[in-house]
Amino acid sequence: MPSAIAADGGPSESSEKPIPKPVKLFDTPKTSFAILTVVVCGTVIVFTELARRGRPFYVRPIAGLKAIEEAVGRATEMGKPILFIPGIQDLNEIETVAGLTLLGRVARVAADYDTPMEVPTTRALVMTAAREAVQAAALAAGRADYYNEDLIHYITDEQFGYVASVCGWMQREQPAACFYLGKFYAESLILSETGNSISAIQIAGTAETTQLPFFVAACDYTLLGEELFAASAYLSGEPAQMGMLKGQDVGKFAAIVLIVVGCGLATWDSLSPRGLQADGTKLPPRTSWVTDTVLKGG
């Protein structure tokens, strides 16, 4: 047995070594948080698998999505082109990907109506992806001759240089329908106000909350935040996107339930104040059950 006292009377090396703590493979107090995480993630996996097996899901009607045919039809009747802007960011932004998915839908309708569509981009990769989306839509519509890669072009990476070029084109060509679907910043109001000044029907969508008021004020239809992703998932029919969409709904439902329960407990606390425990300390508020037990797991 090792001695705790060294030969010189001081503590031995063995007595100074920290005692290792036992390894806990599972933190029991956080069980409720683990269950919540498994339920949300599990629903994403389940809905993704169901979508792969061809099960249809209900997605509530989105006004901006239903207005695509109206906007393209108006441009066709007036004999004017369509403008589509898939945001000003690169392909690493999920909003750009959602915008390109919607571009395929708009291009499909435009190919059916044989209405020219201009797609100026700020990134070379986005230009390439947009060309592929429009070409695929033209082939799906049986109008391979509709695809014209010259109408889908790169302008510049510089934000306001791009806006100046697009607004100049809008003033010259007077498009009858303008689509702004993707990630936007300060240029959102400049583009939508220019479109408004030429009386174009405008459909916008972005997840940038700071830009939504400008689109709502200047455009006819606006896809608000997650509606952009919901529309993308609905049109693409991709199982992964549909699974994510429905899984997020379950997560939101769980959040709503917790908010309602928390509000109920807080109201109960205000109507019947908490008393004292056996040791004389005040009982914790009932809302602590949601915050400490369910969310923090302790």
Side-chain angles (χ1 to χ4, degrees):
M1 180 177 179
S3 174
I5 301 175
D8 58 357
S12 64
E13 291 185 2
S14 59
S15 65
E16 295 177 350
K17 290 182 179 178
I19 300 174
K21 295 181 180 179
V23 178
K24 293 178 65 176
L25 297 179
F26 187 79
D27 193 356
T28 308
K30 296 187 181 297
T31 302
S32 57
F33 187 74
I35 292 173
L36 195 62
T37 304
V38 169
V39 168
V40 174
C41 295
T43 51
V44 172
I45 296 173
V46 169
F47 280 117
T48 301
E49 187 59 31
L50 290 175
R52 283 181 178 152
R53 295 183 181 183
R55 179 169 178 174
F57 293 116
Y58 172 77
V59 178
R60 67 175 175 82
I62 300 174
L65 201 59
K66 296 173 67 176
I68 289 177
E69 289 203 21
E70 175 191 347
V72 176
R74 177 178 173 180
T76 305
E77 291 174 355
M78 298 177 69
K80 293 184 175 181
I82 301 168
L83 173 67
F84 191 105
I85 300 178
I88 64 165
Q89 292 297 298
D90 217 331
L91 279 178
N92 58 344
E93 292 288 344
I94 187 64
E95 292 167 73
T96 305
V97 177
L100 290 173
T101 303
L102 292 168
L103 170 63
R105 169 63 177 170
V106 176
R108 173 70 183 270
V109 179
D112 285 336
Y113 293 165
D114 196 21
T115 305
M117 181 170 62
E118 188 88 6
V119 186
T121 66
T122 59
R123 299 289 190 274
L125 282 177
V126 175
M127 178 194 70
T128 304
R131 284 178 172 176
E132 292 179 357
V134 174
Q135 188 174 27
L139 290 173
R143 294 291 313 276
D145 59 314
Y146 173 79
Y147 173 66
N148 181 1
E149 67 175 18
D150 292 338
L151 297 180
I152 307 163
H153 51 90
Y154 165 81
I155 295 179
T156 175
D157 284 27
E158 205 279 323
Q159 181 184 18
F160 290 105
Y162 172 80
V163 174
S165 174
V166 173
C167 289
W169 181 87
M170 293 169 74
Q171 291 290 345
R172 291 191 302 273
E173 302 297 331
Q174 303 276 308
C178 298
F179 295 87
Y180 316 110
L181 299 166
K183 197 174 188 68
F184 293 90
Y185 294 108
E187 71 286 345
S188 61
L189 185 60
I190 302 173
L191 292 170
S192 54
E193 277 298 320
T194 304
N196 195 25
S197 69
I198 59 175
S199 301
I201 182 171
Q202 301 190 100
I203 299 176
T206 184
E208 282 295 315
T209 54
T210 54
Q211 306 306 317
L212 283 174
F214 303 133
F215 279 145
V216 171
C219 296
D220 299 276
Y221 300 94
T222 304
L223 303 178
L224 303 173
E226 64 180 12
E227 286 186 347
L228 177 66
F229 306 119
S232 171
Y234 176 73
L235 290 178
S236 68
E238 286 288 332
Q241 291 194 42
M242 290 301 297
M244 287 291 293
L245 183 65
K246 303 306 289 185
Q248 287 175 13
D249 288 346
V250 173
K252 291 170 192 169
F253 179 74
I256 291 171
V257 169
L258 290 175
I259 290 172
V260 171
V261 171
C263 290
L265 293 175
T267 305
W268 189 9
D269 275 340
S270 64
L271 296 177
S272 57
R274 303 286 276 167
L276 301 178
Q277 301 183 90
D279 57 359
T281 58
K282 190 174 182 179
L283 286 167
R286 294 182 179 90
T287 50
S288 62
W289 177 78
V290 175
T291 56
D292 298 338
T293 306
V294 178
L295 298 180
K296 296 181 181 177

